[in-house]
């Protein structure tokens, strides 16, 4: 659908009744005062998605007997976004729900499990640590965060 937006450097698209999950492209061209048009610029694809991903879950375990590098194993579930799909899964570790003071948010791509190297992170035996998980869809929207805890070993 072609529209004359007039002079300016921004314009809000009208309600075009777009379909969720479908890819769209934007095509622009300038026309001077004499009606002569310039070259066309096409941008996209843009995925139309007005909803964030479903809230994920994560199950953390610290193996009782570890040889070599200590690790925390994470299993992610409920990873879904029906409109645009999942772009990435992230996790963090904190000393309280909602904090990332032990390990800042880190991406695992779209892998549904991860082994976190704890050799540079000290988890004190007996202390409780909180693991956060969140996802981002292909439209850039973030899910709600999921938090659970694990006891330092």
């Amino acid at each position: 659908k072609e529209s004359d937006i007039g002079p300016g450097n921004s314009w809000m698209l009208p309600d075009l009744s777009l379909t969720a999950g479908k890819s769209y492209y934007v095509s622009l061209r300038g026309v001077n005062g004499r009606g002569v048009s310039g070259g066309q610029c096409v941008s996209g694809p843009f995925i139309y998605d007005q909803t964030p991903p479903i809230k994920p879950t994560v199950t953390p375990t610290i193996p009782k007997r570890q040889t070599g590098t200590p690790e925390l194993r994470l299993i992610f579930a409920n990873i879904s976004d029906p409109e645009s799909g999942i772009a990435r899964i992230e996790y963090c570790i904190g000393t309280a729900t909602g904090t990332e003071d032990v390990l800042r948010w880190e991406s695992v791509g779209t892998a549904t499990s991860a082994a976190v190297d704890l050799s540079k992170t000290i988890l004190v035996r007996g202390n409780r640590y909180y693991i956060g998980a969140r996802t981002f869809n292909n439209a850039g929207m973030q899910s709600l965060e999921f938090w659970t805890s694990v006891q330092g070993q």
Side-chain angles (χ1 to χ4, degrees):
K1 182 176 175 181
E2 194 170 302
S3 298
D4 180 356
I5 64 172
N9 57 9
S10 67
W11 183 64
M12 179 76 80
L13 290 171
D15 180 15
L16 299 174
S17 300
L18 303 177
T19 303
K22 189 172 178 187
S23 295
Y24 293 91
Y25 294 83
V26 175
S27 175
L28 301 171
R29 69 183 169 111
V31 179
N32 69 16
R34 298 169 122 188
V36 178
S37 65
Q40 186 174 7
C41 174
V42 178
S43 189
F46 299 101
I47 300 169
Y48 182 69
D49 187 346
Q50 290 187 297
T51 60
I54 295 166
K55 183 178 180 179
T57 61
V58 62
T59 303
T61 57
I62 298 176
K64 298 272 186 219
R65 292 188 177 290
Q66 295 194 41
T67 57
T69 304
E71 67 180 24
L72 169 68
R73 295 185 184 148
L74 303 175
I75 304 294
F76 302 97
N78 206 31
I79 307 300
S80 178
D81 183 272
E83 291 83 21
S84 64
I86 296 296
R88 71 183 183 278
I89 303 166
E90 295 183 348
Y91 70 91
C92 72
I93 305 173
T95 55
T97 297
T99 66
E100 53 180 305
D101 54 344
V102 175
L103 183 67
R104 297 181 64 85
W105 288 104
E106 190 166 309
S107 175
V108 296
T110 56
T112 56
S113 65
V116 182
D117 178 352
L118 297 177
S119 62
K120 295 182 178 109
T121 305
I122 297 171
L123 299 186
V124 177
R125 176 182 225 106
N127 285 3
R128 186 149 297 280
Y129 294 92
Y130 296 84
I131 314 300
R134 65 187 182 188
T135 57
F136 290 83
N137 65 18
N138 285 305
M141 299 177 81
Q142 178 189 312
S143 70
L144 294 173
E145 295 173 359
F146 174 86
W147 290 89
T148 190
S149 65
V150 67
Q151 189 107 10
Q153 309 260 339

